[in-house]
Amino acid sequence: MRFKELLKNINQATDDLDFVTARKYIEENMELLKEKKHLLNQNARELLEFMVKRLEAGHQPLDKQELASVQAVNMYAEQFDVRGVKMIVKQKPNLFMKPEAAQNLTNDAKVVLVGMGVLKKEA
């Protein structure tokens, strides 16, 4: 994809409030966009700056498999299928120690995981 087309797609996605698509384009071309961020519209610049700050702070985004596991835990917790939650936690024990994973959990999933001792209870 050419740079002008990339800029157009990112700006259009942020104008349409499609931040998932914009985020995908920005992640794939982060270094190039850091140098040319003045060509992005305001929303796209804000999104880029937010992503850069998170990366500099050491936060790594979840990959597709990790995100799918978190969504599966959410689904099992909604149905109160503790056996399904245990199975996923057993397969990926370190996943739920990441703050990014905890942010994607539903309240039901958080309650089940706190009850299992996987997450610490928030004060």
Side-chain angles (χ1 to χ4, degrees), residues 5-83:
E5 187 178 334
L6 174 67
L7 287 175
K8 180 183 165 202
N9 288 343
I10 292 172
N11 288 331
Q12 184 64 42
T14 55
D15 287 342
D16 295 340
L17 302 178
D18 183 8
F19 296 114
V20 173
T21 303
R23 180 177 156 235
K24 182 180 75 166
Y25 286 133
I26 290 171
E27 283 177 347
E28 292 171 357
N29 302 287
M30 179 109 33
E31 294 304 316
L32 180 62
L33 290 170
K34 279 194 232 180
E35 298 170 8
K36 307 278 186 174
K37 70 179 176 182
H38 65 278
L39 298 172
L40 296 170
N41 66 21
Q42 181 66 31
N43 289 339
R45 269 196 309 273
E46 291 292 326
L47 184 60
L48 174 65
E49 289 174 17
F50 174 76
M51 292 172 63
V52 168
K53 285 179 186 176
R54 285 189 53 89
L55 284 175
E56 288 173 353
H59 294 280
Q60 293 296 321
L62 298 177
D63 62 23
K64 288 182 181 181
Q65 289 179 338
E66 292 172 332
L67 199 53
S69 295
V70 170
Q71 293 302 329
V73 166
N74 287 337
M75 187 178 66
Y76 285 133
E78 183 181 324
Q79 299 168 357
F80 202 69
D81 183 359
V82 179
R83 192 172 76 186

Side-chain angles (χ1 to χ4, degrees), residues 54 62 66-67 70 73-74 94-107 109-111 113-114 118-120 122:
R54 285 189 53 89
L62 298 177
E66 292 172 332
L67 199 53
V70 170
V73 166
N74 287 337
N94 296 329
L95 172 62
F96 299 100
M97 293 182 174
K98 295 182 180 182
E100 294 83 13
Q103 292 171 354
N104 289 311
L105 291 170
T106 62
N107 288 335
K110 288 178 183 177
V111 168
L113 290 172
V114 166
V118 175
L119 294 179
K120 293 180 181 175
E122 296 176 5

